Amino acid sequence: ADRLLLRNAVSGVLARCCSGCEVAMLLPLDTSCSLETVRQPWSRVEPPLIFYADQTCPSDNTDTVDDSALWSAFVSPAHIAARNDSERSLWPTHEANKTIGRLARPLGLQVAGGEVMWLEQDAGLLRRCPVSTANGRCLAAPSVVLDNLNCPQDFAIDYSRSFAFVLQYGGGGGGEAQLSCGGQGRITRFPLHPAADGSLVPVDVVGRIFEPRALALDPLADASDRGAYAGVGAPGRGLLFWSDTGNLSDPHGLGGSVMRAGLDGSGVR
């Protein structure tokens, strides 16, 4: 729900600080910046808190744009206090602060349970930290959830079954699969908690993805075509959705596809 809130809230906005961000930002003088979302006439309520990744932003101590960071943005008090739309248009909707910086190309973030979780593509890591509800900053040093990932693109968490699904490269075997961003795209399932013998064995549930980009998960969807929903953790339930910009099987020749499969990788379509 948090990922959906983020994407819906900032849909269609041009990022000024970074390439690929889903927000509009103004370069800050310090460690904060402003966030402006697109307001539609039928939706005047702004989301109270947004998290986003910025791969090219100012460092903490200088104005040099040489940092990669996670940011959090709260609704601006001035925007809330505005008496009408004319006054609201004079103020940014949100005021942003850096949650944590000096990251290795962050992307694919998720907020839940009082913590933020994100990928660092260049380091091959999935990390997390508890966050403050007062200023959106990390309350403690981040911890590593997963390491040794190969050029990860996105991830999704199935909290009901305690699995992390990571969209990454390195599939298909052979020498190229050992290279960073080499081999085929794949979706790998990782247990979030060790087995009785202490092992944490990853499993590739989907392979042969040409150019993986985004991943989403519905833990309750019926994996059959009936479209029904069942209880949390029910067997045979749950769907993965991912985008593959290199899948040219589209009959209209447009290129790129959104695919789906069960959580065990069955029924790819």
Side-chain angles (χ1 to χ4, degrees), residues 83-162:
R83 293 171 295 180
N84 50 55
D85 287 346
S86 178
E87 288 188 5
R88 289 190 191 94
S89 67
L90 300 176
W91 301 97
T93 60
H94 292 72
E95 295 179 354
N97 291 291
K98 189 178 292 186
T99 298
I100 184 172
R102 294 300 174 193
L103 305 179
R105 193 173 175 82
L107 74 168
L109 62 89
Q110 182 167 319
V111 183
E115 65 179 17
V116 61
M117 193 178 297
W118 69 93
L119 290 169
E120 292 186 44
Q121 189 175 79
D122 291 349
L125 298 174
L126 176 63
R127 303 172 77 191
R128 66 183 174 191
C129 74
V131 292
S132 167
T133 56
N135 56 26
R137 300 184 188 276
C138 283
L139 294 172
S143 59
V144 174
V145 180
L146 299 172
D147 57 8
N148 295 317
L149 304 175
N150 189 329
C151 195
Q153 303 294 307
D154 202 359
F155 75 100
I157 303 295
D158 183 354
Y159 290 100
S160 66
R161 300 172 180 85
S162 295

Side-chain angles (χ1 to χ4, degrees), residues 7-139:
R7 289 174 179 170
N8 287 346
V10 295
S11 175
V13 184
L14 175 65
R16 296 181 59 187
C17 277
C18 58
S19 174
C21 288
E22 298 179 346
V23 297
M25 295 172 54
L26 301 175
L27 285 176
L29 296 176
D30 200 327
T31 59
S32 300
C33 67
S34 296
L35 176 72
E36 178 68 23
T37 62
V38 175
R39 292 187 298 276
Q40 303 293 344
W42 58 84
S43 178
R44 301 187 183 278
V45 179
E46 297 296 338
L49 176 60
I50 294 174
F51 285 85
Y52 57 97
D54 186 345
Q55 296 176 358
T56 309
C57 61
S59 64
D60 290 339
N61 300 318
T62 70
D63 290 336
T64 305
V65 181
D66 62 354
D67 195 10
S68 292
L70 297 184
W71 293 73
S72 55
F74 289 82
V75 171
S76 165
H79 178 79
I80 295 175
R83 293 171 295 180
N84 50 55
D85 287 346
S86 178
E87 288 188 5
R88 289 190 191 94
S89 67
L90 300 176
W91 301 97
T93 60
H94 292 72
E95 295 179 354
N97 291 291
K98 189 178 292 186
T99 298
I100 184 172
R102 294 300 174 193
L103 305 179
R105 193 173 175 82
L107 74 168
L109 62 89
Q110 182 167 319
V111 183
E115 65 179 17
V116 61
M117 193 178 297
W118 69 93
L119 290 169
E120 292 186 44
Q121 189 175 79
D122 291 349
L125 298 174
L126 176 63
R127 303 172 77 191
R128 66 183 174 191
C129 74
V131 292
S132 167
T133 56
N135 56 26
R137 300 184 188 276
C138 283
L139 294 172

Side-chain angles (χ1 to χ4, degrees), residues 152-224:
Q153 303 294 307
D154 202 359
F155 75 100
I157 303 295
D158 183 354
Y159 290 100
S160 66
R161 300 172 180 85
S162 295
F163 285 120
F165 292 83
V166 178
L167 186 63
Q168 61 173 340
Y169 281 91
E176 288 189 2
Q178 305 303 315
L179 303 175
S180 177
C181 298
Q184 299 174 352
R186 54 182 171 150
I187 300 175
T188 308
R189 185 184 67 208
F190 296 86
L192 292 176
H193 304 291
D197 61 358
S199 62
L200 290 168
V201 180
V203 177
D204 288 345
V205 295
V206 178
R208 298 183 59 83
I209 302 175
F210 297 97
E211 295 181 16
R213 287 296 178 267
L215 177 67
L217 180 151
D218 185 337
L220 300 182
D222 190 335
S224 72

